[in-house]
Amino acid sequence: MSAPEASRIPFNKPFMIGPELDYIRAAVERGHLAGDGPFTQQCREWLERSFTIPRALLTPSGTAALELAALLCPLEPGDEVILPSYTFSSTANAFVLRGAKPVFVDIREDTLNLDERLIEERIGPRTRVVVPVHYAGVACDMDRIGAIAERHGLVVVEDAAQGVNATYRGRFLGTLGRLGAYSFHETKNVLAGEGGALALRDAADIERAEILREKGTNRAKFFRGEVDKYTWVDVGSSLLPSEIVAAYLCAQLEHCDEITAQRLRTWEHYAQALAPLAQQGRLRLPCVPAECRHNGHMFYVILADAAQRDPFLAYLKQRGVQAVFHYVPLHTSPMGQRFGGRAGQLPVTEDLSERLVRLPCYYGLTRPEQDRVIETMFEYFRTGAR
Ligand SMILES: *Cc1c(COP(=O)(O)O)cnc(C)c1O
């Protein structure tokens, strides 16, 4: 039995919320397609106003935002950066590109976030940066991580790629460290196809980031009339998205709360409907600490037994439901092993990564579709291979 294509429920589906194409047309008609035009400006102002960010800079991706953050960190080759292993390669690559060594720390059993209790034992004389990754838009324990960073003089770079519009003790993710990276990739909550932003608060960082992002030139100052010509003043790269991308993003940001609210309704529905499976011990549901307001970025379940995952995913797929697992831990990847990573070092990461399954969750996923995902899961545990 195979579900017909029309009734397939994909894991993710990029969407438009309304004015995207009108805005793209406006950008084209205005004749400004390169970066830092009016739509980029509008996105920047929206982010700064809505999330209380002193300065937000749009970037071509979340990866580029992390790379820009890494360029702003005081890093020499051989310096060390603390981060979870249960994350995307970009979290590590941004710093590895600077010659830094990633030091992987295990995650918490409940939130799958960097385990703050294990950070201090991995801090050495060359540790410079700690990177909390807010998995599924649920904040890390930023009070404790901030205090540890302060004690040891470390820079906190938040990987808030999944954390757009989520908060920790009422403050928006991405604004809690010195630097915060967002992603607007088509798999995230607010989309631009590919896109990202870096949140900055330090005056010196803001001044330097503008230069790094503009190919190492003081072009931004020139356009503000602060210098009479612009020239090469620092290292840098091209880290501006085009206005076409910014136009799409602008349309989505204006509806950010609506997108978040719908995702949260989906998330809550899954959580309520699947609670009986959790009570039966078949799986575990996500945990959101009281101080965290998440953004419905992801709905995952942790199966009771790793051997269940492949048959479970295959069963759902057969019935037209595309559920997926997530990261292969970085420390056991071929690249992670080059930095001394070995299986057995991070038991929680290794265990949970093999049991985690993400369910379809996107803007536009209908209630009947959600119910089909839920019913198929119940059916598996009633009748499928166990
Ligand atoms: C998506 C993601 C990134 C990378 O963002 P891109 O926009 O795809 O470059 C980095 N870190 C985490 C945790 C992510 O989920």
Side-chain angles (χ1 to χ4, degrees), residues 123 130 144-156:
I123 293 177
V130 56
R144 294 234 167 75
I145 292 173
I148 293 166
E150 178 111 24
R151 222 166 21 247
H152 297 272
L154 310 182
V155 177
V156 177

Side-chain angles (χ1 to χ4, degrees), residues 1-3 8 310-323 372 376:
M1 181 186 83
S2 216
R8 255 189 83 249
D310 287 349
F312 178 78
L313 291 178
Y315 186 92
L316 265 58
K317 187 175 174 207
Q318 264 271 309
R319 285 149 187 85
V321 174
Q322 191 195 9
R372 228 183 86 210
T376 310

Side-chain angles (χ1 to χ4, degrees), residues 61-63 66 87-88 90-91 133 159 161-162 183 185 188 195 327:
S61 63
T63 300
L66 286 165
T87 182
F88 192 57
S90 297
T91 318
V133 177
D159 184 337
Q162 300 173 17
S183 169
H185 186 262
K188 301 302 200 292
Y327 306 122

Side-chain angles (χ1 to χ4, degrees), residues 178-362:
R178 186 165 121 190
L179 299 157
Y182 298 118
S183 169
F184 306 116
H185 186 262
E186 71 169 35
T187 52
K188 301 302 200 292
N189 283 25
V190 175
L191 325 183
E194 299 275 358
L198 184 65
L200 305 107
R201 66 173 184 209
D202 207 272
D205 281 342
I206 294 169
E207 183 169 352
R208 182 143 189 258
E210 279 185 342
I211 292 167
L212 300 174
R213 180 170 167 272
E214 275 281 20
K215 304 93 182 167
T217 72
N218 54 356
R219 192 163 178 263
K221 275 191 174 160
F222 173 72
F223 281 122
R224 285 198 300 266
E226 293 167 27
V227 291
D228 59 5
K229 58 182 183 318
Y230 78 86
T231 184
W232 186 22
V233 295
D234 200 340
V235 296
S237 188
S238 180
L239 296 172
L240 289 69
S242 97
E243 275 285 285
I244 299 174
V245 169
Y248 195 103
L249 179 61
C250 191
Q252 296 243 329
L253 285 175
E254 286 172 356
H255 295 271
C256 183
D257 283 338
E258 184 185 331
I259 294 167
T260 307
Q262 199 200 83
R263 292 189 80 112
L264 284 171
R265 283 196 294 276
T266 300
W267 196 98
E268 291 295 342
H269 184 54
Y270 276 141
Q272 277 178 21
L274 296 172
L277 290 179
Q279 275 146 25
Q280 291 166 25
R282 304 289 198 186
L283 49 78
R284 203 199 87 194
L285 299 176
C287 162
V288 181
E291 61 276 17
C292 304
R293 196 196 73 198
H294 73 105
N295 58 4
H297 172 62
M298 186 195 298
F299 195 92
Y300 65 79
V301 298
I302 311 262
L303 300 178
D305 172 9
Q308 289 274 312
R309 187 167 68 184
D310 287 349
F312 178 78
L313 291 178
Y315 186 92
L316 265 58
K317 187 175 174 207
Q318 264 271 309
R319 285 149 187 85
V321 174
Q322 191 195 9
V324 296
F325 53 85
H326 210 182
Y327 306 122
V328 174
L330 295 184
H331 74 288
T332 57
S333 68
M335 189 66 181
Q337 289 184 34
R338 281 167 52 183
F339 292 102
R342 294 289 175 269
Q345 287 170 341
L346 305 177
V348 180
T349 299
E350 290 166 33
D351 172 38
L352 297 184
S353 66
E354 290 183 351
R355 294 196 281 132
L356 182 137
V357 167
R358 295 177 291 159
L359 305 184
C361 184
Y362 50 86

